[in-house]
Amino acid sequence: MPLEARAQRAGRPYRVAVLGPVPPSFFDELRRAGFVRGSNLEIDSRGESVAAVSYASAAVELTEASPNVLMAVGAEAGRAAQKATQRIPIVVIADDLLGSQLVASMPRPEGNTTGVAIFAFQLDAKRLELLHEALPGTRRIAALADRLPIPNMDALKSAAKRLGVEIVPFAARSEEDLIRVIDAMKVEEVEAVNLLASPILASKFQYLIRDRLALRRLPAILQWPEQAEEGGLMGYGPRLSAVFDQSARQVARLLRGAKVADVPVEQPIKFELVINLKTAKMLGVEIPPIVLSRADRTIE
């Protein structure tokens, strides 16, 4: 049946609350599952306009409307959602749901929370290795996070020691912070940047981080393959759209009446390396052929 007809047949309207930035693909996947925004689905969103410091109050506001499911992006948003409600099912995308103590079990979550664990902390170290392979002459690499101390700094330092490079930590949580720290990287004689996993930084990438890095001629490796396709030098990890598709399918199961305990925490199933050669040329960077041969996609 056509999607709109399926939505009408689904009967009563459903409400999904969203805390944090989500891409359009999230709503597209819900639509494919028969939950159509404006037909049988209402969305109450506190997206990119909500600062992380406001997650607690935003989560309370969202739960007051009694949504059927609350979608939270990032561990901070997930914890704020859990504090706001122990009744409404919560779906979280975060680095490590188990390590962040958002769930007690991945196969069978307890309480009211499940989601997708992208294990970004482990991937941060892998990105450092890829960046060093692409730029073997670099010796000082910035780790740009959304807070200090960086949670996985020990793993990054261990990887840096093996590679013979120095990690220089930076943190930013606002546009002003981002401009300041990226400018400071040049003063600190940083040669490349490992942009660590963060929903706060990822949401600001397109319109600020990418352009500021280009202005300061700083090559960087990024969390999502799509970010390299949008003008970054390199991106490694699961596709942003694929991760949110997984979470949308979990939301759809819960809307249909599934219990949280019966919706296991999922993980990404595919990781991609994308290298943008147009950006490399603009930065005056030459990527070694052995690294290019490992790329799933190169932007010519």
Side-chain angles (χ1 to χ4, degrees):
M1 296 177 66
L3 290 172
E4 286 76 8
R6 286 169 56 192
Q8 292 175 1
R9 188 177 179 181
R12 67 183 181 88
Y14 298 85
R15 179 185 292 271
V16 171
V18 178
L19 181 58
V22 297
S25 63
F26 174 78
F27 303 108
D28 293 339
E29 188 65 23
L30 283 176
R31 184 175 180 273
R32 283 188 284 272
F35 300 97
V36 181
R37 193 174 188 175
S39 178
N40 68 334
L41 180 65
E42 296 179 11
I43 301 292
D44 189 359
S45 178
R46 303 290 190 275
E48 295 182 17
S49 61
V50 174
V53 293
S54 304
Y55 280 158
S57 58
V60 171
E61 290 176 12
L62 289 170
T63 57
E64 286 175 348
S66 297
N68 300 99
V69 179
L70 200 163
M71 172 73 195
V73 183
E76 291 181 79
R79 281 189 283 269
Q82 286 185 333
K83 289 180 180 178
T85 179
Q86 290 78 49
R87 176 182 56 84
I88 299 168
I90 300 170
V91 173
V92 184
I93 290 180
D95 300 328
D96 183 351
L97 272 72
L98 194 61
S100 300
Q101 299 183 335
L102 290 165
V103 298
S105 167
M106 290 182 61
R108 191 172 175 81
E110 299 175 8
N112 64 329
T113 304
T114 186
V116 179
I118 59 176
F119 293 104
F121 288 164
Q122 292 90 325
L123 292 178
D124 282 339
K126 178 64 177 178
R127 292 186 192 99
L128 178 63
E129 295 173 4
L130 287 168
L131 183 61
H132 183 258
E133 289 178 30
L135 306 169
T138 56
R139 290 296 175 264
R140 284 174 63 83
I141 297 177
L144 178 53
D146 59 21
R147 63 191 182 278
L148 293 176
I150 295 173
N152 57 332
M153 195 62 186
D154 288 345
L156 287 170
K157 284 183 176 179
S158 177
K161 185 177 181 179
R162 292 195 307 271
L163 300 170
V165 301
E166 180 185 358
I167 292 291
V168 187
F170 293 88
R173 293 178 74 87
S174 68
E175 294 187 10
E176 294 77 11
D177 284 346
L178 282 167
I179 293 171
R180 176 181 55 78
V181 301
I182 291 174
D183 291 350
M185 290 175 187
K186 295 299 289 187
V187 177
E188 295 287 335
E189 298 182 343
V190 162
E191 300 165 273
V193 181
N194 185 7
L195 184 61
L196 305 187
S198 162
I200 298 170
L201 297 180
S203 68
K204 297 181 182 300
F205 173 77
Q206 289 186 12
Y207 65 91
L208 181 57
I209 300 179
R210 176 194 59 196
D211 296 340
R212 202 70 185 181
L213 289 171
L215 177 67
R216 297 304 180 193
R217 299 184 67 79
L218 283 168
I221 190 165
L222 312 160
Q223 180 182 5
W224 307 105
E226 290 97 328
Q227 292 176 317
E229 294 168 348
E230 294 162 357
L233 176 62
M234 302 171 64
Y236 177 73
R239 283 202 166 265
L240 179 71
S241 56
V243 170
F244 275 93
D245 284 354
Q246 284 181 276
S247 64
R249 289 190 287 270
Q250 291 176 319
V251 170
R253 288 184 62 186
L254 293 168
L255 290 176
R256 294 191 189 103
K259 296 179 179 179
V260 171
D262 296 327
V263 181
V265 174
E266 298 184 17
Q267 304 173 46
I269 56 176
K270 183 179 180 181
F271 301 89
E272 296 182 40
L273 173 61
V274 175
I275 301 174
N276 193 318
L277 294 178
K278 291 193 294 184
T279 301
K281 183 177 181 180
M282 182 270 292
L283 293 171
V285 170
E286 186 172 345
I287 307 295
I290 191 170
V291 178
L292 291 176
S293 69
R294 295 167 57 189
D296 296 279
R297 184 185 178 197
T298 56
I299 312 297
E300 300 290 345

